[in-house]
């Protein structure tokens, strides 16, 4: 690690300077409300927490009930936070509160980057030889027609690829197409499409030890985002064919189904099984959620993750490597690495109004569970479990064993990745941050 006086890391700012910024921002987030309101700042903080708790109760009523209670819940979820903001503004506390929140977010981000200023854990290896017979599967419907809009067919063929287009008019077995390509001599597989299609072809590539290339031509492209690819320029991914580097990353399995992002169980997976969901997502969700949350249709999920038993879950997300925390201002909803050999586990268990209010306390509330494990066993009260695998709906026999396959996939990416994630070290270790800020030298964690 560089010493405090060096200028390494992001933007030429060394880790010691970022640690000092984190400490100063943390102190500022505490001092601003104290200067503005003195000891009464504690009461203002409690008022803000109460507003958030009431808003959480309102959301719960709106989702878990129908009729008058749903209307009241929707109103409460809006009125409670607005009332707190009006109260803050009336007594001149809105500005200090927003400034304190901004300083706290700055402190959190600076602390995490100070402790781990290095690059992603997945170390790229230079590609020595370009593929001789690369094969690319493209879905012209993905992403609202990105394949045509970015001229991906012509550009891939110019790069020496054999291109296969999915036919919108008939069902095609993506896995069978990829296996046929391997049998015909393909030495690299690539996909321009959504994450569900990416996962199917990635499994074939892993089974045959072939390199795999992701072309972000889907709607959300979460897998491409966590690989650091430019989602606004799908054609840039083709550089991986001739001037790329190779990463070894993990694959996730739910029973025998591969996922590159996540497998979701419970509420979301049950909602998407409804035939009406595709054409009316919001209306279908509002119609089915009350039964799923508190009624006879509640999924009754249970899970065993490592040595931890999780019961009475309404929803469970198992991800191929853990996601960053939802309040991570630096990289919300991203995975900092794809080679940890672990599954991320996020569970939600909220069965009544009191539990919904306690969600404001985060993981300590008991309503939200976060942990990591190498294997997760998911059980339900029924013989089968609906699962959303990378956005695709499937039904699997219960129990479902989810596991990680470390280093199973060879992924080739361009040498330059504009959005490559960096390890931030998780939750800040403030004593380490303080020592780094004072002494200018990192302390091993």
């Amino acid at each position: 690690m560089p010493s405090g006086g060096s200028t390494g890391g992001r933007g030429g700012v060394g880790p010691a300077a970022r640690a000092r910024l984190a400490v100063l921002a943390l102190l500022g987030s505490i001092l601003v409300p104290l200067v503005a309101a003195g000891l009464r700042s504690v009461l203002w903080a409690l008022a803000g927490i109460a507003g958030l708790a009431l808003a959480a109760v309102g959301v719960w009523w709106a989702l878990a009930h129908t009729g008058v209670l749903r209307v009241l819940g929707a109103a409460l979820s809006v009125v409670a936070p607005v009332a707190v903001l009006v109260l803050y503004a009336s007594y001149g506390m809105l500005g200090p509160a927003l400034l304190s929140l901004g300083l706290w977010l700055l402190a959190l981000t600076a602390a995490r980057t100070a402790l781990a200023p290095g690059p992603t854990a997945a170390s790229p290896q230079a590609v020595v030889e370009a593929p001789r017979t690369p094969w690319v599967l493209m879905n012209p419907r993905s992403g609202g027609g990105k394949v045509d809009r970015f001229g991906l067919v012509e550009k891939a063929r110019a790069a020496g690829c054999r291109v296969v287009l999915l036919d919108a008019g008939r069902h095609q077995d993506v896995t069978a197409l990829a296996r046929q390509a391997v049998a015909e001599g393909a030495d690299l597989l690539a996909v321009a499409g959504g994450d569900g299609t990416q996962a199917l072809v990635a499994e074939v590539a892993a089974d045959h030890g072939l390199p795999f290339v992701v072309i972000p031509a889907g709607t959300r492209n979460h897998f491409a985002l966590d690989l650091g690819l430019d989602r606004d320029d799908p054609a840039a991914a083709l550089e991986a064919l001739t001037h790329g580097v190779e990463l070894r990353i993990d694959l996730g399995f739910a029973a025998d189904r591969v996922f590159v992002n996540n497998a979701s169980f419970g509420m979301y997976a049950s909602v998407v099984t409804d035939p009406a969901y595709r054409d009316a997502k919001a209306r279908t969700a509002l119609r089915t959620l009350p039964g799923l949350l508190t009624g006879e249709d509640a999924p009754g999920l249970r899970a065993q993750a490592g040595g931890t038993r999780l019961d009475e879950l309404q929803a469970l997300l198992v991800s191929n490597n853990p996601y960053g925390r939802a309040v991570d201002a630096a990289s919300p909803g991203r995975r900092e690495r794809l080679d940890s050999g672990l599954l991320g586990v996020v569970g939600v268990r909220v069965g009544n109004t009191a539990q919904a209010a306690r969600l404001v306390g985060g993981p300590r509330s008991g309503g939200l569970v976060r942990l990591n494990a190498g294997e997760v066993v998911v059980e339900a009260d029924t013989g089968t479990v609906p699962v959303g695998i990378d956005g695709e709906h499937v039904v699997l026999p219960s129990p479902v064993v989810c596991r990680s396959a470390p280093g199973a996939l060879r992924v080739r990416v361009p040498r330059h990745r504009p959005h490559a994630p960096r390890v931030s070290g998780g939750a800040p270790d403030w004593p380490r941050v303080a020592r780094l800020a004072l002494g200018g030298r990192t302390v091993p964690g």
Side-chain angles (χ1 to χ4, degrees):
M1 286 285 187
S3 65
S6 65
T7 58
R10 301 180 185 181
V13 179
R18 292 195 294 273
R20 295 184 189 109
L21 175 61
V23 172
L24 290 174
L26 179 63
L27 291 174
S29 70
I30 298 171
L31 290 175
V32 165
L34 285 175
V35 170
L39 294 178
R40 287 178 300 169
S41 60
V42 176
L43 297 177
W44 288 112
L46 291 176
I49 293 172
L52 291 175
L54 288 173
V57 169
V59 171
W60 168 256
W61 286 353
L63 295 179
H65 300 279
T66 59
V68 175
L69 202 53
R70 167 169 284 180
V71 174
L72 289 175
L76 182 61
S77 66
V78 175
V79 170
V82 169
V84 171
L85 293 176
V86 170
L87 185 65
Y88 277 26
S90 300
Y91 286 87
M93 285 299 299
L94 182 58
L98 294 177
L99 178 58
S100 178
L101 177 62
L103 288 171
W104 178 79
L105 292 175
L106 174 62
L108 192 68
T109 301
R112 289 177 178 170
T113 58
L115 293 180
T120 56
S123 300
Q125 302 294 325
V127 174
V128 177
E129 184 178 355
R132 295 183 301 277
T133 54
W135 177 87
V136 182
L137 179 69
M138 296 190 178
N139 185 350
R141 295 170 293 169
S142 288
K146 285 185 177 179
V147 168
D148 291 334
R149 192 159 67 248
F150 289 91
L152 295 180
V153 173
E154 296 77 12
K155 292 176 181 178
R157 285 173 176 162
C161 298
R162 177 192 168 199
V163 178
V164 173
L165 293 173
L166 288 177
D167 188 347
R170 61 191 180 94
H171 172 75
Q172 291 172 279
D173 188 331
V174 170
T175 301
L177 290 174
R179 294 194 186 283
Q180 180 181 348
V182 174
E184 293 173 354
D187 59 354
L188 179 144
L189 303 181
V191 173
D195 289 331
T197 308
Q198 300 278 2
L200 294 173
V201 179
E203 180 180 13
V204 177
D207 287 344
H208 293 85
L210 296 179
F212 180 68
V213 169
V214 174
I215 303 173
T219 302
R220 296 179 181 85
N221 300 298
H222 291 302
F223 188 36
L225 173 66
D226 292 336
L227 286 170
L229 302 179
D230 188 349
R231 297 183 296 174
D232 296 325
D233 184 11
L238 292 170
E239 181 189 339
L241 297 173
T242 53
H243 299 90
V245 294
E246 188 167 293
L247 310 175
R248 276 280 186 177
I249 68 169
D250 310 333
L251 287 177
F253 280 83
D256 61 346
R257 292 293 301 264
V258 164
F259 57 91
V260 292
N261 291 325
N262 54 63
S264 59
F265 301 81
M267 290 184 298
Y268 173 75
S270 297
V271 168
V272 299
T273 63
D274 194 307
Y277 178 76
R278 184 173 296 275
D279 297 323
K281 293 181 173 60
R283 190 184 309 120
T284 304
L286 288 174
R287 175 173 53 81
T288 56
L289 277 176
L292 293 172
L293 290 171
T294 59
E296 296 179 354
D297 297 330
L301 286 177
R302 302 176 299 278
Q304 183 79 29
T308 303
R309 179 76 180 177
L310 306 175
D311 294 310
E312 300 178 353
L313 296 170
Q314 274 79 34
L316 179 69
L317 183 76
V318 180
S319 58
N320 176 28
N321 286 265
Y323 284 101
R325 300 184 188 279
V327 294
D328 187 345
S331 55
R334 292 192 64 180
R335 292 166 290 179
E336 293 174 337
R337 58 188 297 171
L338 294 169
D339 65 343
S340 70
L342 294 173
L343 300 172
V345 181
V346 180
V348 177
R349 46 187 177 196
V350 182
N352 53 53
T353 301
Q355 291 176 346
R358 287 199 297 269
L359 276 179
V360 175
R364 293 171 297 176
S365 69
L368 180 66
V369 181
R370 294 182 62 100
L371 51 90
N372 305 331
E375 181 178 278
V376 181
V377 180
V378 184
E379 303 174 359
D381 296 333
T382 55
T384 58
V385 185
V387 190
I389 297 182
D390 287 336
E392 303 292 330
H393 167 68
V394 300
V395 177
L396 298 175
S398 176
V400 179
V401 178
C402 301
R403 60 182 177 85
S404 174
L409 183 63
R410 300 166 56 193
V411 177
R412 289 193 181 179
V413 295
R415 292 179 185 274
H416 173 65
R417 291 178 290 154
H419 307 295
R422 300 165 73 88
V423 175
S424 69
D429 182 343
W430 286 106
R432 285 184 64 205
V433 173
R435 288 193 293 268
L436 178 58
L438 293 174
R441 187 176 297 278
T442 57
V443 180

